[in-house]
Amino acid sequence: TPTLADPTSKLSNYTVSSTNGTLTVNPVGLTVLAGDATRAYGQTNPVFRATCLGFVNGETNTVLSGALVLTSPAQTNSPVGAYPIIASGLSAINYSLTYSNGTLSVLPQALTVTAQDKTKVYGAADPVFTAAYSGLVNGETSAALSGTLTFSRVPGENVGAYAITPAGFTSTNYAITFASGT
């Protein structure tokens, strides 16, 4: 009995023949995911990392061509905030690459404002109080801070030691800690 699987078969009133078809193998999707990172204001960007998701047939990143490039527009003087980490530079014959940005979080830089120790003679007016700064970056001075620096001291005029406490500065780029002097 004739069957359709036999291309030379003749069925009554029909001549059966076959034509070759084409199998198209399309690239599979592969996502290059830039990892998230953090750093403090005024510091250089860390080494960025990425992960590839979607390899098939046991393949790894060794089948990729080109060089992975990970960049961010954030510079050392970029203010506190979130910036993209952008991946690019790879290709592969069997994969259709999609890049997914990561996020670089720029966090406030630690800054300590310390009242400098002062002396005075019994009965004299208080000296002008000043502060020292530890943690300013990018060549900045106290002018980069908002607010007005003020000082308070423990009351008393007798011979002895009295704490001088600074306050008043704020900043989005600095996490400010105030330290007392004497």
Side-chain angles (χ1 to χ4, degrees), residues 12 49 67 84 90 118 124 128 150 167 175:
S12 63
R49 307 251 185 252
L90 296 174
K118 299 291 180 178
V128 174
T150 61

Side-chain angles (χ1 to χ4, degrees), residues 7-149:
T8 59
S9 297
K10 292 191 181 206
L11 301 175
S12 63
N13 298 328
Y14 294 99
T15 301
V16 178
S17 63
S18 67
T19 304
N20 291 338
T22 302
L23 172 64
T24 303
V25 178
N26 293 316
V28 69
L30 181 78
T31 300
V32 180
L33 177 63
D36 294 339
T38 61
R39 70 161 173 86
Y41 170 73
Q43 304 304 308
T44 57
N45 289 340
V47 173
F48 299 131
R49 307 251 185 252
T51 303
C52 296
L53 305 172
F55 285 115
V56 296
N57 299 327
E59 293 180 326
T60 66
N61 60 352
T62 59
V63 299
L64 302 175
S65 299
L68 177 62
V69 177
L70 295 161
T71 61
S72 177
Q75 303 297 313
T76 57
N77 62 347
S78 296
V80 167
Y83 299 87
I85 298 172
I86 304 159
S88 64
L90 296 174
S91 63
I93 293 172
N94 292 326
Y95 293 93
S96 174
L97 275 63
T98 302
Y99 293 97
S100 179
N101 290 348
T103 300
L104 172 63
S105 297
V106 176
L107 307 174
Q109 169 70 29
L111 172 67
T112 302
V113 178
T114 304
Q116 294 177 308
D117 294 341
K118 299 291 180 178
T119 60
K120 76 173 194 171
V121 175
Y122 175 76
D126 284 347
V128 174
F129 295 132
T130 56
Y133 302 87
S134 176
L136 288 167
V137 294
N138 296 328
E140 294 176 338
T141 66
S142 61
L145 306 174
S146 299
T148 303
L149 181 61

